[in-house]
Amino acid sequence: MAKSSSQNKILGASILLAGIATAAVLYKYATKPKSSTKSLPADDKKDNTPKFSTPSKSIPSEPETPLTSNKSAAPASDNTDASVGEDTTSTDDFMAELHAQIEAIDKRGKKLFKEKKHLDAAEVFTEALDLINSKVTNATKYNNLNRQLVTLMNNRSAMYEKGGLPDLALVDCDGILDVEPGHGKARTRKLRILESLKRYNEALVEVCALQLKFMQDNRDKLRLGIPVTPPVPQQKIEELMTQILPGVIEQTLADVQKKHGEKERPLPSTHTIMQLIQSFAGYNAWMATAARDGGIDELTNKFNAASSDAEKVEILLKRGRRQAYHRKFEECTADFESAYGMLEKGGDELKSMLDSDVYARVLEWTGMCRHLTYDLDGALKCYEACSDADPTNAEILVKRAGVKMDSGKLEDAIGLFDTALGLDPTAVDALLHRANLRMLEGKPVEAKTDLEKCIELRPNHIFAHLRLATIYMAMDDAAGAKRALDDAERIDSQSSEVHSYRGELYFAQGQMVEAKAEFDRAIECDAGNPTAYVNAALAVMNTAGAGGGPPDIPEAIRLLEKAIDVDPQFHTAYVHLGQLKLSMATDLTTAREVIALYDKGLDYCRTAEELKDIVSMRILTVAQVDAASALKMDTLNMQ
């Protein structure tokens, strides 16, 4: 089917680049635990982070004024510049004369600016800069003169921007930032120009640099909760990410697909596979059949002794099913692919020698294995052939609909669900999985109707009760959600999913201690359930530490790492783990390790939807690390 319930639980998390002085990237404590379906939007808490004022769209009303000459403009060291005499009085006189010349040139530049002759003004500021460079070999040795250089370059940059020469303006901005990395006006102008040139990734780095500098300058106030106004609004980040994301997602997906090539994708975790196959009404029937077919060793001996391909195909069906019975899904997949390969090679002649049910079941199981490895075209080919061989089987139509859902063809999926229910109005599989589709579409009322019908037909359908609890939670009906979960627990009190969902309900009500206890119970019931680890980590992050201190971040990190251990394809765990590790990073080397973590997560992604969250966090992390490097900071941590 489209996704297992654990894969569908999307945890809402956001990155905050200002507001708390503990890190440059902060974990949003109000994060909601993974909701039970992608169609039910996360109920994000209000962001109380200080919002930034939008950078000015215009340059200052007039250029900055260079420093005036004074007797304090002495060299910064005892090594007097060669072009200036070694006598101190001579040096002072020289500097005073140079400052006077700069002031005179500056006045001409200002006059041209007021006349809106921006490029003429830029030439005049260039004249002043050339004068300094011709008179003094190393102006950086003189504090006031160095500041004049920065001011003149900033003024010229403003003139270039106004005069429609953005590339020259950027050159001056970079020149200023080489000397003074924290120069706010140069960075703001650079951000504005880069954005106008649609160089959005570079613009994002400038946003991060402005924010990191702001946090560095105001860390004491931020720590004390004193209101301050940051230089760039959060909205600016969102605007830039909107421009950056589509192209990066497309390219990343292409890179991942190219990297894997024709190589078979790894199977999901055992927990995920079991959630899928147990959701179908036929689960108990084929499990009973597998138990009667004999052990794996016995079936292997029969296969080795088989004299015909038809006999071998039938034994492979039985052994593959028995492998699934023992949750050996790699071996299960290998057996069904071998059987399918023999069918293709044997053609109609071999097909005619097989019992029709054996033929159909090989196609069905091969389709499921291919769907699990995200070979959607291969899965659909098998399922469609199976439908031809077994045209009244509603469950096959539902599985075909699942492939269509994962392909993004929701209308096709609806058509297949309707056909299945036309064949069998009591097809609970169609009702359950169509409800999943309705949840993806954001239609909880229609989903609720399907689930209630499903429960009416099959009162002990635990997945229907769990999905119904999810809908009630999305509708803020805590009482309804509790009733649905109580019904599910009566069916199976040892279900990891039941305890994980109940933990979500407690979490939504702000009862963190109770939520964490349920998530821990979910882990006890099934140590392979990645959702339980992630949700437990979120409960930890929303619980004050000893003595009312900060949350136990190391414990949250441990739980998230465990989630990835049990299910390397659990994408949400990478997002949260990366955010927490970045918030704890004490140097940029450690911060870069977070980028490597995101790259690992991306390697398991199969769709643009799966990529989106990790790609978003990776883009922001790279921008912050680059911004910190540009500011000559050695850490993102503001403590």
Side-chain angles (χ1 to χ4, degrees):
M1 240 11 254
K3 298 281 189 299
S4 70
S5 62
S6 64
Q7 292 283 33
N8 277 332
K9 294 181 180 180
I10 297 187
L11 295 121
S14 64
I15 187 166
L16 305 180
L17 294 173
I20 302 176
T22 54
V25 180
L26 303 175
Y27 201 84
K28 188 173 183 181
Y29 291 170
T31 304
K32 181 179 178 181
K34 223 172 148 38
S35 75
S36 302
T37 173
K38 292 181 181 176
S39 67
L40 302 177
D43 180 19
D44 291 335
K45 305 290 183 183
K46 182 177 289 186
D47 183 359
N48 293 320
T49 306
K51 300 304 178 186
F52 303 153
S53 59
T54 305
S56 171
K57 294 293 183 182
S58 62
I59 60 173
S61 58
E62 62 180 41
E64 298 177 68
T65 303
L67 299 171
T68 56
S69 61
N70 56 64
K71 297 294 183 180
S72 66
S77 71
D78 292 332
N79 297 319
T80 308
D81 192 277
S83 65
V84 181
E86 295 184 5
D87 179 76
T88 302
T89 302
S90 175
T91 299
D92 288 346
D93 291 343
F94 171 83
M95 295 299 287
E97 182 181 350
L98 181 57
H99 281 299
Q101 290 176 297
I102 293 170
E103 286 181 44
I105 298 172
D106 178 63
K107 287 180 181 179
R108 286 195 287 119
K110 285 182 181 180
K111 183 175 182 295
L112 290 167
F113 168 75
K114 289 178 180 178
E115 295 171 356
K116 297 187 178 182
K117 297 177 180 179
H118 302 116
L119 296 183
D120 290 339
E123 289 186 15
V124 170
F125 292 128
T126 300
E127 182 183 338
L129 289 164
D130 289 344
L131 174 65
I132 294 173
N133 291 327
S134 68
K135 295 290 186 179
V136 181
T137 304
N138 186 5
T140 60
K141 289 166 41 177
Y142 302 91
N143 291 334
N144 285 348
L145 198 56
N146 188 49
R147 290 170 65 188
Q148 284 186 320
L149 280 169
V150 169
T151 298
L152 288 166
M153 274 196 291
N154 187 55
N155 288 344
R156 185 172 65 177
S157 176
M159 297 304 99
Y160 283 146
E161 182 188 14
K162 271 292 190 182
L165 297 176
D167 291 329
L168 290 178
L170 285 176
V171 170
D172 274 346
C173 287
D174 288 336
I176 296 165
L177 296 172
D178 284 342
V179 177
E180 191 178 327
H183 197 286
K185 289 183 179 179
R187 286 214 177 272
T188 300
R189 181 175 298 111
K190 187 176 180 182
L191 163 60
R192 187 166 58 240
I193 294 171
L194 289 170
E195 190 175 7
S196 72
L197 295 174
K198 299 184 179 181
R199 291 162 61 176
Y200 300 116
N201 286 86
E202 295 169 78
L204 183 62
V205 173
E206 296 309 314
V207 171
C208 292
L210 286 164
Q211 293 193 355
L212 287 173
K213 183 65 168 60
F214 163 79
M215 293 176 69
Q216 186 179 58
D217 292 344
N218 294 276
R219 54 187 169 187
D220 291 336
K221 291 180 180 178
L222 290 167
R223 191 179 292 117
L224 294 171
I226 298 173
V228 286
T229 303
V232 186
Q234 186 77 13
Q235 180 185 356
K236 179 57 64 179
I237 295 176
E238 295 166 5
E239 290 173 357
L240 292 172
M241 289 296 289
T242 298
Q243 297 293 336
I244 295 169
L245 262 179
V248 176
I249 288 175
E250 182 180 355
Q251 183 60 53
T252 303
L253 185 59
D255 290 344
V256 170
Q257 291 173 341
K258 181 179 179 181
K259 180 178 179 180
H260 287 280
E262 298 300 320
K263 208 167 47 171
E264 188 177 273
R265 290 277 190 165
L267 287 164
S269 69
T270 298
H271 175 82
T272 298
I273 295 174
M274 291 303 298
Q275 288 294 296
L276 171 63
I277 63 178
Q278 288 177 348
S279 71
F280 287 96
Y283 171 74
N284 290 329
W286 71 254
M287 284 283 284
T289 301
R292 293 193 299 267
D293 282 339
I296 293 173
D297 290 342
E298 178 187 351
L299 291 167
T300 299
N301 291 334
K302 287 183 177 180
F303 178 82
N304 292 334
S307 58
S308 69
D309 284 350
E311 189 178 356
K312 288 181 178 180
V313 168
E314 184 172 356
I315 294 170
L316 284 171
L317 167 63
K318 293 179 179 180
R319 191 174 71 177
R321 209 160 40 196
R322 185 72 182 204
Q323 304 278 21
Y325 177 91
H326 291 294
R327 302 189 179 190
K328 296 181 177 181
F329 293 110
E330 294 284 352
E331 295 85 347
C332 163
T333 299
D335 276 348
F336 286 119
E337 284 294 345
S338 294
Y340 183 79
M342 294 178 70
L343 286 177
E344 285 205 311
K345 185 177 180 180
D348 290 340
E349 181 180 351
L350 178 57
K351 177 182 174 182
S352 67
M353 297 169 64
L354 290 169
D355 181 275
S356 61
D357 187 65
V358 170
Y359 176 71
R361 298 292 72 77
V362 169
L363 292 170
E364 179 182 4
W365 275 95
T366 306
M368 187 197 74
C369 293
R370 290 183 174 185
H371 193 178
L372 289 170
T373 57
Y374 219 71
D375 177 5
L376 301 183
D377 291 337
L380 193 59
K381 178 182 177 181
C382 290
Y383 283 146
E384 287 176 342
C386 185
S387 282
D388 291 340
D390 191 2
T392 61
N393 190 323
E395 186 174 316
I396 302 304
L397 292 169
V398 173
K399 290 178 178 178
R400 285 171 58 188
V403 178
K404 293 291 187 179
M405 287 170 65
D406 277 351
S407 301
K409 299 174 181 177
L410 301 189
E411 289 300 321
D412 289 350
I414 285 291
L416 288 165
F417 285 132
D418 291 345
T419 302
L421 287 166
L423 286 172
D424 180 4
T426 67
V428 293
D429 294 335
L431 292 167
L432 176 73
H433 292 288
R434 188 171 69 178
N436 286 346
L437 188 153
R438 294 305 189 193
M439 292 158 80
L440 289 172
E441 292 179 320
K443 297 178 179 178
V445 175
E446 290 90 333
K448 183 172 178 287
T449 299
D450 276 348
L451 292 171
E452 288 173 339
K453 179 64 174 176
C454 183
I455 292 169
E456 179 186 330
L457 292 166
R458 188 177 163 193
N460 287 337
H461 200 311
I462 190 169
F463 290 98
H465 289 289
L466 290 173
R467 297 291 192 279
L468 191 57
T470 297
I471 292 175
Y472 281 127
M473 280 190 268
M475 299 170 69
D476 293 325
D477 184 351
K482 184 179 184 303
R483 286 195 305 273
L485 290 173
D486 289 344
D487 290 338
E489 190 164 4
R490 278 191 287 271
I491 297 167
D492 184 0
S493 62
Q494 298 303 307
S495 167
S496 178
E497 291 297 296
V498 169
H499 292 290
S500 187
Y501 279 58
R502 196 180 291 280
E504 292 177 27
L505 180 59
Y506 280 128
F507 194 108
Q509 295 172 322
Q511 298 173 260
M512 295 303 152
V513 174
E514 293 83 354
K516 178 63 163 55
E518 288 293 337
F519 296 141
D520 290 343
R521 182 77 177 112
I523 293 169
E524 290 174 12
C525 292
D526 185 354
N529 182 354
T531 303
Y533 292 103
V534 173
N535 286 347
L538 293 181
V540 169
M541 288 303 299
N542 281 271
T543 303
D552 188 352
I553 295 179
E555 171 63 6
I557 288 176
R558 184 192 71 79
L559 288 164
L560 291 168
E561 288 176 335
K562 184 63 177 177
I564 292 173
D565 286 342
V566 301
D567 187 356
Q569 298 184 44
F570 203 69
H571 312 108
T572 305
Y574 291 97
V575 174
H576 290 290
L577 181 59
Q579 288 178 288
L580 283 185
K581 285 196 168 186
L582 194 62
S583 74
M584 299 290 286
T586 56
D587 55 63
L588 294 187
T589 298
T590 306
R592 291 187 181 96
E593 291 173 0
V594 174
I595 299 171
L597 172 70
Y598 290 143
D599 287 337
K600 176 184 174 183
L602 288 172
D603 201 38
Y604 289 102
C605 291
R606 301 167 297 186
T607 67
E609 183 181 1
E610 291 176 349
L611 283 167
K612 184 176 180 180
D613 288 341
I614 301 179
V615 167
S616 297
M617 299 312 303
R618 188 186 188 282
I619 291 169
L620 288 165
T621 303
V622 169
Q624 289 174 92
V625 170
D626 289 348
S629 298
L631 290 168
K632 302 188 182 340
M633 295 169 58
D634 55 10
T635 181
L636 295 174
N637 198 307
M638 292 298 159
Q639 286 185 319

